[in-house]
Amino acid sequence: MSERTQVAIVGAGPAGLLLGQLLDRQGVEAVVLEARSRDYVEARIRAGVLEQGTTEVLREAGVGERMDREGLVHGGIYLRFDGRSHHIPMSELTGGRAVTIYGQTEVVKDLVAARLQCGAPLRFECSDVEVDGLRQDEPVVRYTHERSEHELRCDVIAGCDGFHGVCRTALGADVLNVWEREYPFAWLGILADVAPSTDELIYAQHERGFALHSMRSPLLSRLYVQVDPEDEVERWSDDRIWEELHVRLASDGWELTEGPVLEKSITPMRSFVAEPMRHRSLFLAGDAAHIVPPTGAKGLNLAVADVTVLAEALVEHFGSGSQTGLDEYSDRCLVRVWRAQHFSWWMTTMLHTNPEADAYGRRLQRSQLEYVAGSRAAATSMAENYVGLPLIKPAAKALSDG
Ligand code: FAD
Ligand code: DHB
């Protein structure tokens, strides 16, 4: 079966779904193809912190209503080390900006519902997806759906298929430059059926390893502990996880309340960038192009920033025939991508216990923590990165503009 559209979007994660929604609202046609089932995509627990710019984009895309009702707006975080908590008042340090705690699962559910409601094409459980025709400028996506083979011809392919997708690998090593770093640790995350023991997120550095107390709602807690990347989830009983959380998060006069564990999984940590993010008519967005370790809570926010730039460029292109936005897409995104790479690496090295660090490295790490906790200038730098720098402007321009 053969069909034609303007934009073929591969992947229905946050990047692909939001791109589809932004294009649909501006009258650009797209078909979204997803390898997994709707249930799987809507249940996959991942990120939870939305930058203010991300919430603004979701609102403008017409999918902000439940987020505004159920999301938790946080104006600060706690840094905890040596058994003491240090509050970083992010809103105060950034002229009133804040983050919203709202699970990626919920963002995805809202986007799927919006797309299905307007009747725009979204196909789950597509297999054997492959992209072709780039060299001839006749892009096509071939896939199998409901046991029949399909061919989707298009003007542009948006590769929103995550780190393990097919779009980036279709480009090959002669087209892409790749930068990568692996870390000697991973995160074991749990979702717990218990009210959070804190009003704002706690990022804790402890000699036994990093721990994070986050949340999903006034009744659901999300917590993480640093583990070895080779570790297996079966080796972590619920009791062992809570015991470790008590030790690593401990602080005078503060108590952690335990509850039933609803889900647990281990996430490896990696930094990765593939450049350029565009080759001919294939545009990479989100995790398909770059990965950050989760400590800075940037992965989902970067995916949203990429597709905001891409949607704008595509609307301009299909409206006026202009190539300018498309030509600038990769460079515009990469400024923000590299800022988030640095911030995520910095948060990760400041907060984790590196089994490979020497004594000198550990003292440097301690000095950095004390600096952020004790200096308004250092805390402001952390805060403006955490709540999110302006979506598109390069950082240097934002500074010169005041
Ligand atoms: P994805 O969400 O990966 O979506 C890609 C989609 O493409 C998926 O639905 C996938 O099934 C589909 N797909 C893949 N291959 C194909 C194919 N061949 N054909 C069609 N479809 C395909 N970020 C944070 O900020 N905080 C966190 O705590 C956090 N935790 C994470 C935990 C895990 C296990 C992972 C993997 C990531 C985590 N992230 C976190 C990062 C964040 O979730 C991602 O940055 C975000 O999901 C990126 O969105 P995306 O749409 O680019 O990619
Ligand atoms: C969550 C994840 C993060 O990576 C982070 O830095 C903060 C919170 C979360 O899942 O809630």
Side-chain angles (χ1 to χ4, degrees):
M1 271 185 258
S2 186
E3 133 187 71
R4 187 175 167 86
T5 190
Q6 289 177 304
V7 185
I9 301 177
V10 185
L17 289 166
L18 179 60
L19 179 62
Q21 177 72 3
L22 292 169
L23 293 179
D24 187 67
R25 286 171 75 84
Q26 301 280 339
V28 175
E29 256 181 39
V31 175
V32 183
L33 305 173
E34 164 60 45
R36 302 287 195 153
S37 69
R38 178 178 177 183
D39 284 351
Y40 183 92
V41 166
E42 291 189 341
R44 198 165 37 190
I45 300 177
R46 287 184 172 178
V49 178
L50 307 184
E51 292 175 2
Q52 185 158 321
T54 296
T55 61
E56 284 159 10
V57 171
L58 293 172
R59 237 171 257 131
E60 279 162 27
V63 287
E65 197 194 312
R66 195 161 67 93
M67 172 189 77
D68 282 333
R69 228 179 25 246
E70 297 176 13
L72 308 170
V73 177
H74 283 192
I77 57 167
Y78 297 98
L79 271 190
R80 200 168 272 188
F81 57 97
D82 273 349
R84 286 211 308 275
S85 239
H86 306 265
H87 189 242
I88 309 290
M90 290 183 307
S91 285
E92 194 186 307
L93 297 169
T94 58
R97 295 181 78 76
V99 295
T100 298
I101 310 304
Y102 189 65
Q104 181 169 331
T105 44
E106 308 314 302
V107 174
V108 166
K109 281 184 212 160
D110 295 344
L111 285 163
V112 168
R115 189 157 184 89
L116 295 179
Q117 198 188 3
C118 68
L122 165 56
R123 291 180 199 137
F124 290 102
E125 299 181 66
C126 299
S127 54
D128 310 317
V129 178
E130 83 186 32
V131 302
D132 202 2
L134 295 176
R135 204 171 317 141
Q136 304 87 319
D137 285 325
E138 287 176 3
V140 58
V141 183
R142 296 199 187 85
Y143 63 101
T144 304
H145 187 238
E146 292 171 347
R147 273 169 301 206
S148 54
E149 289 176 12
H150 295 252
E151 183 181 82
L152 177 60
R153 286 168 297 107
C154 54
D155 298 299
V156 164
I157 300 174
C160 301
D161 50 348
F163 186 66
H164 300 288
V166 295
C167 290
R168 189 184 67 253
T169 45
L171 290 182
D174 51 334
V175 170
L176 294 176
N177 288 307
V178 164
W179 287 265
E180 191 165 17
R181 177 163 296 185
E182 295 214 11
Y183 299 86
F185 26 78
W187 279 15
L188 168 65
I190 61 165
L191 185 68
D193 190 6
V194 60
S197 306
T198 178
D199 57 340
E200 293 177 334
L201 272 54
I202 305 168
Y203 288 81
Q205 200 278 326
H206 189 278
E207 61 185 15
R208 294 178 64 89
F210 170 73
L212 168 61
H213 191 328
S214 180
M215 61 194 74
R216 284 292 176 271
S217 75
L219 296 173
L220 273 181
S221 297
R222 177 90 172 135
L223 300 112
Y224 299 92
V225 285
Q226 173 188 345
V227 296
D228 188 278
E230 303 301 319
D231 217 331
E232 282 160 19
V233 86
E234 295 72 32
R235 298 184 54 239
W236 285 86
S237 67
D238 296 357
D239 284 349
R240 183 179 173 208
I241 296 170
W242 285 114
E243 211 173 288
E244 206 59 39
L245 284 165
H246 280 292
V247 173
R248 297 188 194 182
L249 289 167
S251 146
D252 276 353
W254 181 82
E255 289 235 3
L256 174 65
T257 312
E258 298 183 15
V261 173
L262 304 175
E263 194 262 358
K264 58 181 152 182
S265 56
I266 291 183
T267 308
M269 293 173 77
R270 179 189 278 122
S271 297
F272 175 94
V273 183
E275 287 183 26
M277 288 169 61
R278 178 238 182 135
H279 178 66
R280 304 187 83 114
S281 46
L282 173 59
F283 293 77
L284 301 175
D287 278 17
H290 42 72
I291 295 282
V292 285
T295 328
K298 287 285 162 255
L300 169 60
N301 294 295
L302 277 183
V304 168
D306 288 353
V307 298
T308 305
V309 177
L310 184 54
E312 200 185 289
L314 288 168
V315 169
E316 178 191 275
H317 173 69
F318 288 111
S320 69
S322 163
Q323 293 287 339
T324 312
L326 297 179
D327 289 345
E328 289 177 352
Y329 169 72
S330 180
D331 287 348
R332 286 178 86 186
C333 289
L334 284 165
V335 174
R336 185 183 187 80
V337 166
W338 277 105
R339 178 86 300 278
Q341 287 287 330
H342 180 269
F343 179 65
S344 305
W345 162 84
W346 176 78
M347 285 281 279
T348 300
T349 45
M350 178 171 72
L351 287 163
H352 289 70
T353 298
N354 186 346
E356 292 158 15
D358 59 9
Y360 179 77
R362 286 193 292 275
R363 290 301 293 262
L364 288 181
Q365 183 180 1
R366 169 49 47 97
S367 169
Q368 185 63 55
L369 277 166
E370 285 167 355
Y371 184 42
V372 174
S375 152
R376 196 172 170 89
T380 302
S381 167
M382 178 194 203
E384 72 167 1
N385 279 278
Y386 192 85
V387 300
L389 286 157
L391 259 186
I392 289 150
K393 264 191 206 172
K397 182 160 167 30
L399 203 61
S400 64
D401 287 356

